[in-house]
Amino acid sequence: MKVTIDNISIEVEAGTTILNAARMIGGEIVPPAMCYYSKLQGSGGKCRTCLVKVSQGSEKDPRPMPKLVASCRTTVMDGMVVQNITSPEVIEARKGVVEMLLINHPLDCPVCDQAGECHLQDLGYEHGAAKTRYEFDRRTFDKIDIGDKIQLHMTRCILCYRCVFTADQITDHRIHGILNRGDHSEISTYIQKAVDNDFSGNVIDVCPVGALTDKTFRFKNRVWFTKPVEAHRECQTEGCCGKVTLWYKGEDVIRVTGRKDEYGEVEEFICNTCRFDKKKTADWVIEGPRKVSNKSVINSNHYDTLKPLPVVKTNPVLQEANKEQFERETRL
Amino acid sequence: MESLSNKKKQLEVKPLNFWERAYLPTIAKGLSITMSHFFKKPVTIKYPEEKREFSENFRGMHSLKRDEDGRERCTACGLCALSCPAEAITMQAAERQKGEENLYREEKYAAVYEINMLRCIFCGLCEEACPKEAIYLDGDIIPSDYLRKDFIYGKDKLVEAPLNQ
């Protein structure tokens, strides 16, 4: 099936969603997604940030779709023409969606551990207005501990349902869900029952905001002062791939997360042993530094790269000395 | 050899006359200039005791501000340290415990906050980066000291004095 997204055509299989077709093309034209998660069945359709305009329904019926559609839930038709960033209507609608998502969000980014890798922060930066028009009190909740390693800040939640799908699909029985309806919905467990499954830590990774955070990393450091390194280990837990990203501060591993791709989705889920208990370099086989986008705040202000002067490049003795000096300086 | 630019001046060295050889009139002239300065207003000031007026946008020592209830505004978000081009700022965050609500404004606060005044270039980027209006470079010139370690200013020197004292 041929689909054209922002004047770029691609052949995709029947049943592919517009969002996935855009991801096959890649680049700037991929709609942002806060709730859709390709690894979780049934996710998507909640947040409306991936709205696109379908200006031609299909080859047979070229009428445009009457309203903007959620690209994560709409499958492509042959000859469909989609507009994302080329349509001002979509940009305007997305701006409205971001404002809507931020209505009850506390904007406590200076406190939040997710800041620096938060999708809502990125989205707000790209589309949102600098000021809020909302004049009423934001809804507030107390912090809840879900087990001893995970903390839930319901105030920051945007109700994307990703963690609910994770708890449903990765863990064996349901213990975590949405209570109440509409404006009053909240993520919770049954009377603060601890989530004690081997894979419960993945709800932290799937959360696009800082609603579910790692208590072992709580306030330890800011994301942009840590150094991400790819690593793996032979994990005994069934279903755990053992491939993770270690977040170093100096010599210490202060956090372990799953390996996320460019859309912020983990490649494979990891178990709680890998995430919470293995925080020594000796536990891991280091593969190398994680690639971080140039635009990311994690990449800013990192001056300690080995860039020898032109004269050093040709002289092996100087090269060796330069390396030693660099190692000494970075250790200090 | 002949000069190419033709700007060279040929100087004649004349022998000194009697008054010039005597030196005394010249010494007296020089001393009179020195003496006349005794009765003029000095252009310098005695610095630590006297201070000149600073410009309004002068940037001196940092201070960590408190809010109207006397609670520390800083929440250890790390943006000052990130923006600092000299990497002079370090901090460690801690979580506010129950009963400390009158000390710290947010649920997170800076347990340790250090600025290395030898590294600081007083550019004021930390002031601009701060989302909580917690740090301002509104103090004085950093006083001199003998040891390098004494220039690392901690919270004891940086945090503003409490309101009711």
Side-chain angles (χ1 to χ4, degrees), chain B residues 46-152:
Chain B
K46 293 172 182 165
Y47 163 62
E49 291 87 28
E50 277 177 71
K51 274 172 192 167
R52 285 198 200 284
E53 202 180 320
F54 288 140
S55 145
E56 261 178 36
N57 52 8
F58 174 80
R59 293 188 294 262
M61 196 174 112
H62 314 64
S63 69
L64 289 172
K65 297 289 178 198
R66 291 173 188 272
D67 68 357
E68 53 279 6
D69 300 329
R71 298 173 297 182
E72 283 175 27
R73 299 182 84 106
C74 177
T75 171
C77 70
L79 288 180
C80 47
L82 184 76
S83 67
C84 184
E87 298 205 3
I89 305 177
T90 57
M91 69 187 70
Q92 262 170 30
E95 191 170 358
R96 183 178 71 184
Q97 302 301 317
K98 276 228 167 75
E100 292 183 332
E101 280 83 359
N102 56 338
L103 295 177
Y104 311 107
R105 201 160 71 140
E106 310 275 340
E107 58 178 313
K108 186 173 80 161
Y109 68 94
V112 180
Y113 192 101
E114 283 180 352
I115 302 180
N116 188 336
M117 292 301 177
L118 293 174
R119 296 204 74 142
C120 179
I121 57 169
F122 301 95
C123 61
L125 286 184
C126 46
E127 198 178 276
E128 274 176 50
C130 186
K132 296 285 173 189
E133 302 185 340
I135 189 165
Y136 281 97
L137 280 76
D138 55 359
D140 225 324
I141 297 171
I142 307 296
S144 53
D145 217 322
Y146 294 100
L147 293 172
R148 281 179 170 267
K149 68 173 177 59
D150 293 338
F151 283 100
I152 298 172

